[in-house]
Amino acid sequence: MKEEELDREILSLFYEIDKKLSEKQKLLIHFRSISNFVHHLVNNPCYHKKGNKKLQKLGEMRMKQKLLEYLKLTKDFRKDYIKFPLNYYDNYISPIGRFMNEYYDFFTVGGKAKFIIALPVIFFGLVLDILMYLFFSFTIPTFVLSLLLIYIIRTFIKHKQRRVYGPNY
């Protein structure tokens, strides 16, 4: 299948699913993640500055085919489904997200990942603050606050750029 045909089919299925499903159902199928993938893979593709363009192009074709398969699966989503199969996320969204992370600088959010990703930032800041207290008797937790602020700002910027994906997103 040619790239233009693939793009058209992805967009038509994407818009059909957008009209058909409720907001609650869209959460179950990771619709915002799909929306961000479509936005960058189909509508606004760009090449990574330091990456191999030929390799990226091949990867994009594979990811578009994987995205199309996922959209075909979600197209048949019925209202009486209580839970969308979790392995669909592992088999489709996660691999596409890893590719997008490498070439489009995506960021994982949603679900428990918000807190798990912030833990190393908080831990590193605490270690630095403890060291500042031990050596300089500095009691204000500046490193925790500043690193957490940087993390929050970075997350906000990624959301604005539509470069996020994740479970329950």
Side-chain angles (χ1 to χ4, degrees):
M1 183 179 291
K2 289 186 179 180
E3 188 173 7
E4 296 83 25
E5 294 172 9
L6 190 61
D7 289 349
R8 269 188 259 123
E9 193 167 348
I10 287 172
L11 286 174
S12 69
L13 277 173
F14 175 73
Y15 292 129
E16 180 182 335
I17 291 168
D18 187 23
K19 291 177 185 175
K20 178 181 165 187
L21 298 181
S22 70
E23 291 302 315
K24 191 172 184 178
Q25 291 169 327
K26 287 178 184 178
L27 274 177
L28 295 174
I29 65 163
H30 319 291
F31 188 76
R32 290 191 297 180
S33 296
I34 294 170
S35 172
N36 292 341
F37 296 153
V38 168
H39 176 74
H40 287 285
L41 277 177
V42 178
N43 296 334
N44 300 314
C46 65
Y47 290 107
H48 193 268
K49 295 173 188 166
K50 297 178 183 175
N52 183 341
K53 291 181 182 179
K54 196 175 211 180
L55 190 60
Q56 181 179 348
K57 192 72 171 165
L58 288 171
E60 283 180 0
M61 284 300 291
R62 281 196 334 269
M63 294 306 120
K64 285 180 182 181
Q65 290 168 346
K66 195 172 270 297
L67 183 60
L68 182 62
E69 288 174 31
Y70 186 77
L71 288 170
K72 286 179 180 178
L73 289 170
T74 59
K75 179 182 156 196
D76 299 328
F77 187 80
R78 295 191 337 241
K79 291 182 181 183
D80 58 343
Y81 286 171
I82 295 170
K83 190 172 184 180
F84 200 66
L86 191 58
N87 66 343
Y88 285 178
Y89 178 83
D90 295 334
N91 294 336
Y92 295 98
I93 302 296
S94 187
I96 296 171
R98 284 193 303 271
F99 173 82
M100 298 301 283
N101 186 20
E102 184 175 340
Y103 288 102
Y104 285 88
D105 198 28
F106 266 54
F107 185 69
T108 306
V109 297
K112 297 174 186 171
K114 289 179 188 175
F115 305 110
I116 293 172
I117 293 171
L119 282 177
V121 172
I122 294 170
F123 179 75
F124 185 65
L126 280 173
V127 168
L128 291 175
D129 281 335
I130 291 170
L131 290 175
M132 286 292 287
Y133 176 73
L134 291 175
F135 292 116
F136 304 108
S137 298
F138 195 73
T139 58
I140 301 172
T142 55
F143 285 108
V144 169
L145 295 175
S146 44
L147 289 176
L148 205 52
L149 182 66
I150 290 169
Y151 172 77
I152 291 168
I153 290 170
R154 180 175 183 254
T155 304
F156 177 75
I157 290 170
K158 293 291 182 182
H159 275 278
K160 283 291 195 187
Q161 294 175 340
R162 296 183 68 176
R163 293 181 189 270
V164 291
Y165 76 98
N168 302 325
Y169 180 74

